[in-house]
């Protein structure tokens, strides 16, 4: 009897974590206060590790998971209204006098492992959000399967044209926790002056509790930088650089903002040598088998294209593979676990009152006024279209 009650209660709790908005984070924070962070980390690791073993058993012979269907050609896409348009393998939007200038969208890329690749892996699809009729897209998306053992481990990648969009960082109302910046200076919202050009918003990094990773916005240092951390630097001229702090520190005075994360997933075009399924520095399990929802941000070698990735059932190692395959020379992991990674899109074309209308992948909790009327307790990035 007692075992049955425990099983039912455990199942109900697992369901609530993944279906009741806010339940998972609230439960985890409450347990940390009572049991301590290390005990809760062990519980999370064990639960997700068990879920991974069940998924491998259940889905081992199934076709790879995907988030959307990839049309066979652009003509097929245009004739099927719900289907997104396929981006050609190369679209040259650079000036003819500079033939070596990088183009956008980036070229189609190869899947890291053919045994788990789905049809359409590496094919960029046009995202209408932020685009204007008769112009190349400012956002494109692709799917990639970067784990040779798990066909259900899928990563959605968005590529953004930094010549035509701008990225900004906003502090949450409570995170990262800081003694340096008062709560009155942390609205947790996209400024109203930016609403008209707003395209999308996506999650920031870990809570301060999990690593004390640095963050600065417009000269306000919420947490000081750590030398071991990967750093996403947003510069006043619109450039974005990603790298371990000592490589970016000399340019700190030119930054409008920075956000730090665990060690870089990819740096200088190479995967971090410590990335294995058995390393816990990026949130792996005590057994090395947990795979969870993760997110990442990356930049290409030219500094022209910014990448955001949201992966379902991925390790940090496989997420890094996905970012490198898509074209990121440098990449940092952002937030992890079920409740936090999110890439939300605002209505297109924009209306007078901005509202969220969709997420990049299914099963992401959001409200229509997130980031514009409903303040975010966690830090986040938002994307706007640059003025012509």
């Amino acid at each position: 009897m007692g075992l049955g009650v425990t099983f039912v209660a455990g199942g109900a709790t697992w369901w609530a974590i993944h279906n009741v908005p806010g339940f998972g984070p609230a439960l985890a924070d409450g347990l940390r206060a009572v049991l301590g962070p290390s005990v809760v980390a062990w519980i999370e690791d064990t639960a997700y590790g068990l879920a991974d073993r069940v998924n491998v058993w259940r889905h081992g012979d199934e076709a790879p998971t995907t988030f959307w269907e990839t049309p066979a050609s652009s003509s097929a896409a245009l004739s099927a209204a719900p289907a997104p348009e396929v981006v050609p393998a190369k679209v040259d939007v650079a000036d003819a006098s500079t033939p070596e200038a990088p183009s956008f969208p980036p070229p189609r890329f190869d899947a890291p492992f053919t045994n788990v690749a789905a049809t359409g892996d590496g094919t960029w699809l046009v995202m209408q959000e932020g685009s204007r009729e008769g112009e190349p897209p400012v956002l494109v998306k692709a799917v990639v399967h970067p784990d040779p053992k798990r066909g259900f481990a899928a990563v959605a990648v968005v590529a953004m044209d930094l010549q035509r969009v701008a990225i900004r960082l906003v502090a949450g109302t409570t995170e990262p926790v800081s003694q340096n910046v008062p709560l009155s200076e942390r609205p947790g919202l996209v400024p109203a002056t930016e609403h008209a050009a707003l395209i999308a918003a996506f999650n920031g990094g870990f809570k301060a509790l999990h690593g004390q990773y640095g963050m600065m916005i417009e000269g306000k240092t919420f947490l000081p930088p750590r030398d071991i951390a990967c750093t996403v630097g947003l510069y006043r001229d619109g450039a974005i650089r990603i790298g371990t702090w000592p490589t970016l520190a000399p340019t700190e005075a030119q930054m409008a903002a920075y956000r730090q994360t665990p060690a870089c997933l990819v740096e200088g075009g190479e995967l971090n040598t410590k990335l294995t399924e058995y390393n816990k520095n990026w949130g792996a399990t005590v057994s090395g088998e947990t795979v969870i929802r993760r997110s990442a941000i990356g930049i290409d070698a030219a500094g022209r294209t910014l990448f955001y990735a949201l992966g379902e059932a991925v390790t940090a190692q496989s997420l890094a593979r996905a970012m490198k395959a898509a074209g990121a020379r440098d990449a940092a992991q952002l937030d992890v676990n079920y409740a936090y990674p999110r890439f939300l899109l605002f209505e297109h074309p924009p209306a007078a009152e901005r509202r969220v209308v969709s997420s990049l992948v299914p099963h992401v909790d959001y409200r229509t006024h997130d980031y514009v009327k409903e303040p975010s307790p966690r830090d986040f990035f938002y994307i706007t279209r640059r003025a012509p």
Side-chain angles (χ1 to χ4, degrees):
M1 178 66 177
L3 182 62
V5 171
T6 301
F7 180 79
V8 172
T13 301
W14 185 262
W15 180 90
I17 288 171
H18 293 80
N19 292 277
V20 178
F23 180 81
L27 177 63
D29 289 343
L31 289 175
R32 286 189 190 99
V34 175
L35 303 176
S38 60
V39 175
V40 174
W42 180 86
I43 293 172
E44 290 177 336
D45 290 345
T46 302
Y48 280 105
L50 177 60
D52 177 46
R53 286 191 287 274
V54 171
N55 281 330
V56 170
W57 172 72
R58 287 180 58 200
H59 305 297
D61 297 327
E62 294 180 3
T65 299
T66 189
F67 302 115
W68 50 75
E69 294 299 320
T70 302
S73 67
S74 56
S75 59
L78 292 173
S79 64
E85 181 182 351
V86 174
V87 177
K90 183 176 181 181
V91 178
D92 188 5
V93 295
D95 188 278
S97 63
T98 56
E100 296 183 0
S103 63
F104 187 90
R108 185 191 182 283
F109 59 93
D110 293 330
F113 304 102
T114 57
N115 67 302
V116 292
T119 302
D121 267 24
T123 299
W124 295 108
L125 306 179
V126 170
M127 299 175 68
Q128 296 302 324
E129 291 81 7
S131 298
R132 291 175 179 160
E133 187 173 354
E135 295 182 5
V138 297
L139 305 180
V140 294
K141 64 182 180 181
V143 174
V144 60
H145 294 78
D147 190 324
K149 296 192 297 185
R150 302 173 178 91
F152 56 85
V155 178
V157 184
V158 177
M160 301 165 245
D161 184 357
L162 290 179
Q163 291 190 3
R164 291 182 295 145
V165 301
I167 314 297
R168 301 284 185 266
L169 174 64
V170 177
T173 56
T174 58
E175 285 291 341
V177 173
S178 172
Q179 303 300 317
N180 303 325
V181 183
L183 297 181
S184 60
E185 297 181 19
R186 306 175 61 155
L189 294 167
V190 175
T193 54
E194 299 271 62
H195 285 192
L198 182 61
I199 300 171
F202 60 90
N203 60 279
F206 284 5
K207 287 184 175 182
L209 174 68
H210 305 304
Q212 296 291 313
Y213 294 114
M215 190 172 93
M216 181 275 290
I217 301 175
E218 296 296 345
K220 298 176 183 178
T221 302
F222 293 78
L223 291 171
R226 300 185 61 192
D227 283 350
I228 65 169
C230 196
T231 305
V232 181
L234 309 183
Y235 290 80
R236 299 187 186 282
D237 63 358
I240 296 177
R241 292 178 63 191
I242 298 173
T244 306
W245 178 249
T247 66
L248 269 61
T251 62
E252 182 178 4
Q254 293 142 45
M255 294 180 189
Y258 65 73
R259 180 58 158 108
Q260 292 195 312
T261 75
C264 292
L265 297 175
V266 185
E267 192 164 13
E270 299 297 329
L271 266 62
N272 192 311
T273 57
K274 294 181 180 179
L275 281 167
T276 68
E277 286 188 315
Y278 302 98
N279 191 305
K280 299 191 293 182
N281 292 342
W282 292 270
T285 66
V286 290
S287 63
E289 294 180 316
T290 295
V291 291
I292 54 178
R293 180 179 284 178
R294 299 175 185 269
S295 58
I297 187 171
I299 190 78
D300 72 343
R304 165 72 182 267
T305 302
L306 185 73
F307 300 95
Y308 171 88
L310 197 161
E312 297 282 23
V314 291
T315 63
Q317 182 186 52
S318 57
L319 183 62
R321 289 193 197 109
M323 292 300 276
K324 183 178 178 181
R329 184 191 62 182
D330 304 293
Q333 179 179 272
L334 293 174
D335 218 342
V336 303
N337 285 326
Y338 194 80
Y340 301 126
R342 50 183 5 209
F343 188 102
L344 303 183
L345 295 151
F346 292 81
E347 76 272 38
H348 177 77
E353 182 178 275
R354 301 301 270 138
R355 61 190 183 91
V356 179
V357 293
S358 64
S359 67
L360 175 64
V361 302
H363 311 302
V364 171
D365 173 51
Y366 67 87
R367 292 167 293 187
T368 57
H369 290 130
D370 279 347
Y371 303 123
V372 288
K373 284 189 175 180
E374 295 286 342
S376 172
R378 307 288 298 272
D379 58 285
F380 66 93
F381 296 86
Y382 68 89
I383 307 164
T384 57
R385 175 149 186 146
R386 294 183 185 275

